[in-house]
Amino acid sequence: MSEQVSAPATRHLDQPGTPSKLELTKTTEIPTIINNLKQRFTESQTTSTKQKSTEIKVQLQKLRSNLIENKDELESSLAKDFHKPKLETCACELGPLLSEIDYFLKNVDSIISGGNEKPDKLAFTFSTLTARVERIALGVILIVAPFNYPLLLSLGPVIGAIGCGNRVILKLPTDQIPSFCETLTINVLQKSFDDGWFTVMNGGLDVAQNLTSVETVKLFDKVVFTGSTRVGGIVASNAGVSCTPVLLELGGKSPVFVTSNCKDLQKAANRILWGKFTNAGQTCVAVDYLVVEDDIYDEFLEILKTNFDNLFNSISSDTDFAHLINNSAFNRISKYMETTKGTLISPKDSKKPQKETNFFPPTLITDVDFTDSLMKEELFGPILPIIKYNSLSNVIESIKTHHDTPLALYIFSDNYTEQDLIKASIQSGAVGINEVMMHAGCMDLPFGGIGNSGYGHYHGKYSIDAFTHRRAIIKQPYWAEAIIGERYMPYNATKASHLWTFIKCPDVPLKLGWVFKYLAVFGAGVLLGWVLNTLFIVWIVDYDTMEL
């Protein structure tokens, strides 16, 4: 995301209008808070899995109830902070969150039990082992949330982390959306989580910087950061000093291809416009720019303009359309408009940006190329640049050169060859074919980036991978010493020859491995019986020949 989550807003925490009920976190208290959670996590490791599962279900059920109970207040607070439409909050944030909670409520028992995963096969030299894999919680997780989808992108990873048995510290962007942070903290979070499971931290840039500093980040067992590539790089670098793992969701310039093989340009235009201007373009997987094939360029542009007017003709600073988060974002978007060499085709002159309210109208710009100011970085605002292309392979190379590894890649084409070429040529966090953005709210799919758009993913069952460690567990029987004993020194040519013979043997399916073990036991028994029988016979013979 282009707008960093910890950036200072124009409305500071010490100015009038700041929520008076909200207790702000003091940076001096942060180490103590983290260590207390770490201690509670350590103490919980000796409790039964049944008790852990029960406690987690209680946390998630209370969270679910409080989200539903405070739905209207949460929607209203975001509308107050930056005019975010209530419908968008409900559909794009609350809905997916309830789905995520339901998944973990259903599966928490099997997650906390550690699972019973086994390898399909073992190399012949390991066939005497009993082997399995268990999942264990990581510990204390830091989640740094952004302003743009503050419910989904904060509580989504919180649900996954706690659902896997971790403790969580959540940093909210209080300096940017104070009304929402007050409502969420007091009405939802403080009523949902028991002491020792979760801590919410409210504050500004000082708190965010302290939490992600080299000195503090080493206290965490994992960090989840959603924000700009620049700030994400700083967080990852600080965490790298202590080898603290990081999950980064960073956005990028997500392109949309519209080719001559798109069978329904009308529907394509509507979906693209929705994917661009929802939340005023302040979406990490938003449509960032269009590349349209020249054969259909004029036709599609007319359709796009018509649909644009139908959808946004009534939009103003007072209607249900999100505003930019602060003056800094407004000034950045305004500068793009001042420096672009493209042609403004919409909106009409009557719709002007309003700096006093940070309202910026949906805007279409044509005659853009990859050197334009609009193509320098992720826009993260309500401007849609449109590029004409005549060679699919050439425009693919331009995208790879200027904006490789976007968080999302969108293709409006019904030609499978084109789809496959674009997908194979451009690495991206996700791909949408004849659709945009929907994958980000689908909790049954992994959500995450690649390259400059981040790394790691979560949602549903994929959160289990994000917030647990897969631990290998082996057990070796003592009778196997007869087989593995040649690993001990001193080495010699005979041992080396035997080892090489074992290495060349094919892998043993795990079920077949038990057959080998039973055969080995049986063989050892036969060998022991033969030895004992021989000794007995010798003893009898010697006895018979003895002179009395």
Side-chain angles (χ1 to χ4, degrees):
M1 296 180 180
S2 181
E3 194 74 11
Q4 67 180 56
V5 296
S6 57
T10 53
R11 174 168 38 182
H12 295 285
L13 296 176
D14 57 352
Q15 290 180 340
T18 299
S20 57
K21 298 178 182 179
L22 195 59
E23 182 179 351
L24 302 180
T25 302
K26 298 177 181 177
T27 56
T28 54
E29 299 173 346
I30 289 176
T32 301
I33 294 172
I34 299 171
N35 287 324
N36 286 342
L37 280 183
K38 289 180 77 71
Q39 183 178 349
R40 296 297 293 271
F41 173 79
T42 301
E43 293 170 352
S44 72
Q45 297 313 293
T46 57
T47 61
S48 67
T49 55
K50 183 177 181 181
Q51 182 179 343
K52 289 180 188 176
S53 298
T54 300
E55 290 181 9
I56 291 171
K57 289 177 183 177
V58 169
Q59 316 303 308
L60 297 182
Q61 286 166 345
K62 288 193 295 184
L63 178 61
R64 192 182 198 283
S65 297
N66 286 321
L67 283 172
I68 293 173
E69 183 179 338
N70 291 277
K71 170 184 175 293
D72 293 341
E73 290 80 3
L74 291 168
E75 292 173 350
S76 297
S77 63
L78 280 177
K80 180 180 179 181
D81 281 325
F82 66 109
H83 219 269
K84 184 167 183 172
K86 296 180 180 181
L87 185 147
E88 290 181 8
T89 299
C90 179
C92 300
E93 301 200 65
L94 278 168
L97 275 182
L98 296 181
S99 174
E100 185 81 333
I101 293 173
D102 291 343
Y103 172 84
F104 278 94
L105 285 173
K106 181 179 179 181
N107 293 282
V108 67
D109 289 335
S110 62
I111 296 171
I112 298 304
S113 68
N116 191 28
E117 183 181 340
K118 295 181 178 179
D120 296 329
K121 59 185 180 179
L122 293 171
F124 187 84
T125 49
F126 301 98
S127 59
T128 57
L129 292 175
T130 300
R132 67 184 180 90
V133 178
E134 72 169 359
R135 291 188 299 266
I136 58 173
L138 297 175
V140 179
I141 312 296
L142 169 65
I143 297 170
V144 183
F147 76 85
N148 57 334
Y149 290 85
L151 262 179
L152 183 64
L153 296 180
S154 62
L155 296 190
V158 165
I159 293 163
I162 288 181
C164 292
N166 299 281
R167 270 48 177 177
V168 173
I169 288 178
L170 171 64
K171 164 61 175 70
L172 290 176
T174 324
D175 51 347
Q176 296 175 305
I177 44 174
S179 297
F180 171 81
C181 291
E182 177 183 8
T183 301
L184 181 67
T185 299
I186 296 174
N187 293 11
V188 178
L189 299 179
Q190 291 179 352
K191 296 179 180 179
S192 299
F193 297 105
D194 296 333
D195 183 47
W197 276 97
F198 172 89
T199 298
V200 58
M201 292 191 177
N202 282 283
L205 185 60
D206 59 333
V207 175
Q209 288 179 335
N210 184 288
L211 285 168
T212 57
S213 66
V214 173
E215 294 75 18
T216 306
V217 77
K218 66 182 179 182
L219 301 176
F220 294 103
D221 298 289
K222 190 163 191 175
V223 176
V224 179
F225 174 84
T226 304
S228 70
T229 301
R230 183 184 66 82
V231 179
I234 295 172
V235 173
S237 177
N238 290 346
V241 174
S242 55
C243 296
T244 302
V246 179
L247 191 159
L248 297 177
E249 192 276 277
L250 305 177
K253 289 186 77 67
S254 298
V256 180
F257 287 81
V258 183
T259 80
S260 58
N261 288 301
C262 176
K263 293 180 179 179
D264 197 326
L265 296 179
Q266 283 281 352
K267 291 185 176 67
N270 277 339
R271 294 176 185 183
I272 291 168
L273 291 170
W274 171 77
K276 177 61 192 183
F277 298 115
T278 294
N279 205 31
Q282 298 169 116
T283 306
C284 54
V285 292
V287 171
D288 193 277
Y289 62 98
L290 292 184
V291 290
V292 183
E293 190 171 357
D294 56 358
D295 288 349
I296 59 163
Y297 183 83
D298 292 337
E299 178 188 2
F300 182 70
L301 202 58
E302 286 302 314
I303 293 172
L304 193 70
K305 288 165 59 179
T306 300
N307 292 11
F308 179 93
D309 290 339
N310 291 337
L311 291 171
F312 303 113
N313 189 48
S314 61
I315 293 295
S316 70
S317 62
D318 299 320
T319 56
D320 227 10
F321 184 79
H323 294 189
L324 297 175
I325 187 62
N326 53 35
N327 291 152
S328 175
F330 182 90
N331 292 336
R332 180 176 56 84
I333 295 298
S334 298
K335 186 175 181 180
Y336 286 143
M337 292 301 298
E338 293 169 3
T339 56
T340 181
K341 296 179 180 178
T343 302
L344 173 67
I345 60 171
S346 291
K348 297 176 181 178
D349 292 339
S350 59
K351 287 188 173 58
K352 298 290 186 181
Q354 296 181 9
K355 187 171 185 177
E356 61 274 12
T357 63
N358 294 321
F359 168 73
F360 205 101
T363 303
L364 301 180
I365 304 288
T366 59
D367 302 323
V368 175
D369 61 31
F370 283 95
T371 65
D372 194 85
S373 61
L374 295 176
M375 300 301 295
K376 297 299 183 183
E377 59 182 3
E378 181 184 8
L379 292 173
F380 215 64
I383 303 176
L384 180 58
I386 305 168
I387 298 173
K388 182 195 295 188
Y389 77 88
N390 57 20
S391 168
L392 183 58
S393 59
N394 287 346
V395 77
I396 287 174
E397 286 303 314
S398 294
I399 290 173
K400 291 171 63 177
T401 299
H402 293 89
H403 308 294
D404 201 10
T405 65
L407 187 56
L409 169 65
Y410 302 121
I411 307 166
F412 282 85
S413 170
D414 295 285
N415 182 287
Y416 295 133
T417 301
E418 283 183 340
Q419 294 172 8
D420 290 343
L421 175 62
I422 297 169
K423 287 189 300 177
S425 302
I426 300 174
Q427 290 184 304
S428 62
V431 175
I433 298 176
N434 298 335
E435 184 55 280
V436 297
M437 293 213 312
M438 293 287 285
H439 67 282
C442 181
M443 296 297 155
D444 301 307
L445 295 172
F447 176 63
I450 184 173
N452 289 329
S453 59
Y455 49 79
H457 50 259
Y458 62 99
H459 278 185
K461 67 178 182 179
Y462 302 100
S463 290
I464 302 173
D465 293 330
F467 299 116
T468 62
H469 168 66
R470 274 185 161 85
R471 180 163 66 176
I473 299 177
I474 63 170
K475 184 178 180 180
Q476 184 78 276
Y478 288 115
W479 59 258
E481 199 71 8
I483 299 173
I484 65 175
E486 293 192 338
R487 65 186 178 179
Y488 304 128
M489 291 184 178
Y491 302 142
N492 56 49
T494 301
K495 290 182 177 181
S497 176
H498 290 170
L499 177 62
W500 182 240
T501 300
F502 288 143
I503 290 174
K504 290 189 295 182
C505 289
D507 292 345
V508 179
L510 197 60
K511 292 182 179 179
L512 200 57
W514 285 100
V515 175
F516 276 86
K517 293 171 186 177
Y518 290 134
L519 288 176
V521 172
F522 177 76
V526 170
L527 178 62
L528 180 61
W530 178 82
V531 172
L532 292 175
N533 184 62
T534 301
L535 292 174
F536 180 75
I537 292 174
V538 170
W539 181 76
I540 292 295
V541 170
D542 288 346
Y543 181 81
D544 289 341
T545 59
M546 287 179 66
E547 294 181 1
L548 295 176

Short mmCIF file of all heavy atoms in Angstrom, two decimals, residues 479-502:
data_model
loop_
_atom_site.label_atom_id
_atom_site.label_comp_id
_atom_site.label_asym_id
_atom_site.label_seq_id
_atom_site.Cartn_x
_atom_site.Cartn_y
_atom_site.Cartn_z
N TRP A 479 16.04 -51.73 18.80
CA TRP A 479 16.44 -52.89 18.00
C TRP A 479 17.04 -52.49 16.66
O TRP A 479 17.72 -53.28 16.01
CB TRP A 479 15.26 -53.85 17.78
CG TRP A 479 14.06 -53.24 17.08
CD1 TRP A 479 12.91 -52.83 17.64
CD2 TRP A 479 13.92 -53.00 15.67
NE1 TRP A 479 12.05 -52.34 16.71
CE2 TRP A 479 12.64 -52.44 15.47
CE3 TRP A 479 14.74 -53.21 14.56
CZ2 TRP A 479 12.16 -52.08 14.22
CZ3 TRP A 479 14.27 -52.85 13.30
CH2 TRP A 479 12.99 -52.29 13.14
N ALA A 480 16.79 -51.21 16.25
CA ALA A 480 17.32 -50.75 14.95
C ALA A 480 18.82 -50.58 14.97
O ALA A 480 19.43 -50.34 13.92
CB ALA A 480 16.65 -49.45 14.55
N GLU A 481 19.44 -50.70 16.15
CA GLU A 481 20.88 -50.50 16.25
C GLU A 481 21.65 -51.46 15.35
O GLU A 481 22.71 -51.11 14.80
CB GLU A 481 21.34 -50.68 17.70
CG GLU A 481 22.68 -50.06 18.01
CD GLU A 481 22.65 -48.55 18.03
OE1 GLU A 481 21.54 -47.97 17.96
OE2 GLU A 481 23.72 -47.92 18.13
N ALA A 482 21.07 -52.65 15.16
CA ALA A 482 21.74 -53.63 14.31
C ALA A 482 21.82 -53.15 12.86
O ALA A 482 22.71 -53.55 12.11
CB ALA A 482 21.00 -54.97 14.37
N ILE A 483 20.88 -52.25 12.49
CA ILE A 483 20.84 -51.76 11.11
C ILE A 483 21.59 -50.43 10.98
O ILE A 483 22.31 -50.22 10.01
CB ILE A 483 19.37 -51.59 10.67
CG1 ILE A 483 18.65 -52.95 10.73
CG2 ILE A 483 19.28 -50.98 9.27
CD1 ILE A 483 17.16 -52.85 10.47
N ILE A 484 21.42 -49.55 11.98
CA ILE A 484 22.01 -48.21 11.87
C ILE A 484 23.38 -48.12 12.52
O ILE A 484 24.01 -47.07 12.50
CB ILE A 484 21.09 -47.16 12.50
CG1 ILE A 484 20.96 -47.40 14.02
CG2 ILE A 484 19.72 -47.17 11.82
CD1 ILE A 484 20.16 -46.33 14.75
N GLY A 485 23.85 -49.19 13.08
CA GLY A 485 25.10 -49.16 13.82
C GLY A 485 26.31 -48.79 13.00
O GLY A 485 27.33 -48.34 13.53
N GLU A 486 26.23 -48.98 11.69
CA GLU A 486 27.39 -48.68 10.85
C GLU A 486 27.63 -47.19 10.65
O GLU A 486 28.58 -46.80 9.99
CB GLU A 486 27.25 -49.38 9.50
CG GLU A 486 27.32 -50.91 9.62
CD GLU A 486 27.47 -51.58 8.26
OE1 GLU A 486 27.11 -50.94 7.25
OE2 GLU A 486 27.96 -52.71 8.22
N ARG A 487 26.79 -46.36 11.25
CA ARG A 487 27.03 -44.91 11.17
C ARG A 487 28.12 -44.46 12.13
O ARG A 487 28.59 -43.32 12.05
CB ARG A 487 25.73 -44.14 11.47
CG ARG A 487 25.23 -44.32 12.88
CD ARG A 487 23.88 -43.67 13.09
NE ARG A 487 23.38 -43.88 14.46
CZ ARG A 487 22.23 -43.40 14.90
NH1 ARG A 487 21.44 -42.70 14.09
NH2 ARG A 487 21.83 -43.65 16.13
N TYR A 488 28.48 -45.31 13.07
CA TYR A 488 29.45 -44.93 14.09
C TYR A 488 30.89 -45.11 13.60
O TYR A 488 31.18 -45.97 12.77
CB TYR A 488 29.25 -45.78 15.36
CG TYR A 488 27.85 -45.71 15.93
CD1 TYR A 488 27.14 -46.87 16.22
CD2 TYR A 488 27.24 -44.48 16.17
CE1 TYR A 488 25.86 -46.81 16.74
CE2 TYR A 488 25.97 -44.41 16.69
CZ TYR A 488 25.27 -45.58 16.96
OH TYR A 488 24.00 -45.51 17.48
N MET A 489 31.76 -44.28 14.14
CA MET A 489 33.19 -44.41 13.86
C MET A 489 33.73 -45.65 14.60
O MET A 489 33.16 -46.08 15.60
CB MET A 489 33.93 -43.16 14.32
CG MET A 489 33.60 -41.93 13.49
SD MET A 489 34.59 -40.50 14.02
CE MET A 489 34.05 -39.27 12.87
N PRO A 490 34.83 -46.18 14.12
CA PRO A 490 35.65 -45.72 12.97
C PRO A 490 35.02 -46.15 11.65
O PRO A 490 34.41 -47.21 11.55
CB PRO A 490 36.99 -46.42 13.21
CG PRO A 490 36.62 -47.69 13.93
CD PRO A 490 35.46 -47.34 14.81
N TYR A 491 35.16 -45.28 10.63
CA TYR A 491 34.64 -45.58 9.31
C TYR A 491 35.60 -46.52 8.58
O TYR A 491 36.80 -46.56 8.83
CB TYR A 491 34.48 -44.30 8.50
CG TYR A 491 33.58 -43.27 9.14
CD1 TYR A 491 33.87 -41.92 9.06
CD2 TYR A 491 32.43 -43.66 9.81
CE1 TYR A 491 33.04 -40.97 9.64
CE2 TYR A 491 31.59 -42.73 10.40
CZ TYR A 491 31.90 -41.38 10.31
OH TYR A 491 31.06 -40.46 10.89
N ASN A 492 35.03 -47.28 7.62
CA ASN A 492 35.86 -48.13 6.77
C ASN A 492 35.14 -48.36 5.46
O ASN A 492 33.98 -47.96 5.28
CB ASN A 492 36.21 -49.45 7.47
CG ASN A 492 34.96 -50.20 7.91
OD1 ASN A 492 34.03 -50.38 7.14
ND2 ASN A 492 34.96 -50.64 9.18
N ALA A 493 35.81 -49.02 4.54
CA ALA A 493 35.27 -49.23 3.19
C ALA A 493 34.01 -50.09 3.22
O ALA A 493 33.08 -49.88 2.44
CB ALA A 493 36.34 -49.87 2.30
N THR A 494 33.96 -51.06 4.12
CA THR A 494 32.79 -51.94 4.20
C THR A 494 31.56 -51.16 4.63
O THR A 494 30.47 -51.29 4.04
CB THR A 494 33.06 -53.08 5.20
OG1 THR A 494 34.20 -53.82 4.77
CG2 THR A 494 31.85 -54.00 5.30
N LYS A 495 31.72 -50.31 5.65
CA LYS A 495 30.59 -49.48 6.10
C LYS A 495 30.13 -48.53 5.00
O LYS A 495 28.93 -48.34 4.79
CB LYS A 495 31.00 -48.67 7.33
CG LYS A 495 31.19 -49.51 8.60
CD LYS A 495 31.53 -48.61 9.78
CE LYS A 495 31.66 -49.43 11.05
NZ LYS A 495 31.98 -48.58 12.23
N ALA A 496 31.08 -47.94 4.29
CA ALA A 496 30.73 -47.02 3.20
C ALA A 496 29.96 -47.75 2.10
O ALA A 496 29.02 -47.22 1.53
CB ALA A 496 31.99 -46.37 2.65
N SER A 497 30.39 -48.96 1.80
CA SER A 497 29.72 -49.75 0.76
C SER A 497 28.29 -50.09 1.17
O SER A 497 27.36 -49.98 0.36
CB SER A 497 30.51 -51.03 0.49
OG SER A 497 29.83 -51.84 -0.44
N HIS A 498 28.12 -50.50 2.43
CA HIS A 498 26.77 -50.82 2.91
C HIS A 498 25.88 -49.57 2.89
O HIS A 498 24.71 -49.65 2.49
CB HIS A 498 26.86 -51.36 4.34
CG HIS A 498 27.48 -52.72 4.41
ND1 HIS A 498 27.84 -53.32 5.60
CD2 HIS A 498 27.82 -53.61 3.45
CE1 HIS A 498 28.35 -54.51 5.37
NE2 HIS A 498 28.36 -54.71 4.06
N LEU A 499 26.43 -48.41 3.33
CA LEU A 499 25.65 -47.17 3.34
C LEU A 499 25.19 -46.80 1.94
O LEU A 499 24.04 -46.42 1.71
CB LEU A 499 26.49 -46.04 3.94
CG LEU A 499 25.83 -44.66 3.94
CD1 LEU A 499 24.56 -44.67 4.77
CD2 LEU A 499 26.79 -43.60 4.46
N TRP A 500 26.09 -46.91 0.97
CA TRP A 500 25.75 -46.56 -0.41
C TRP A 500 24.66 -47.48 -0.96
O TRP A 500 23.78 -47.06 -1.69
CB TRP A 500 26.99 -46.61 -1.28
CG TRP A 500 26.75 -46.22 -2.72
CD1 TRP A 500 26.97 -46.98 -3.82
CD2 TRP A 500 26.23 -44.98 -3.19
NE1 TRP A 500 26.64 -46.30 -4.96
CE2 TRP A 500 26.17 -45.05 -4.60
CE3 TRP A 500 25.83 -43.80 -2.56
CZ2 TRP A 500 25.71 -44.01 -5.37
CZ3 TRP A 500 25.37 -42.77 -3.35
CH2 TRP A 500 25.31 -42.87 -4.74
N THR A 501 24.68 -48.73 -0.56
CA THR A 501 23.65 -49.68 -0.97
C THR A 501 22.29 -49.25 -0.44
O THR A 501 21.28 -49.28 -1.16
CB THR A 501 23.99 -51.10 -0.46
OG1 THR A 501 25.23 -51.50 -1.01
CG2 THR A 501 22.91 -52.09 -0.87
N PHE A 502 22.25 -48.84 0.84
CA PHE A 502 20.99 -48.38 1.43
C PHE A 502 20.49 -47.11 0.74
O PHE A 502 19.29 -46.96 0.48
CB PHE A 502 21.17 -48.10 2.92
CG PHE A 502 21.33 -49.34 3.75
CD1 PHE A 502 22.20 -49.36 4.83
CD2 PHE A 502 20.63 -50.49 3.45
CE1 PHE A 502 22.35 -50.50 5.60
CE2 PHE A 502 20.78 -51.65 4.20
CZ PHE A 502 21.64 -51.65 5.28
#
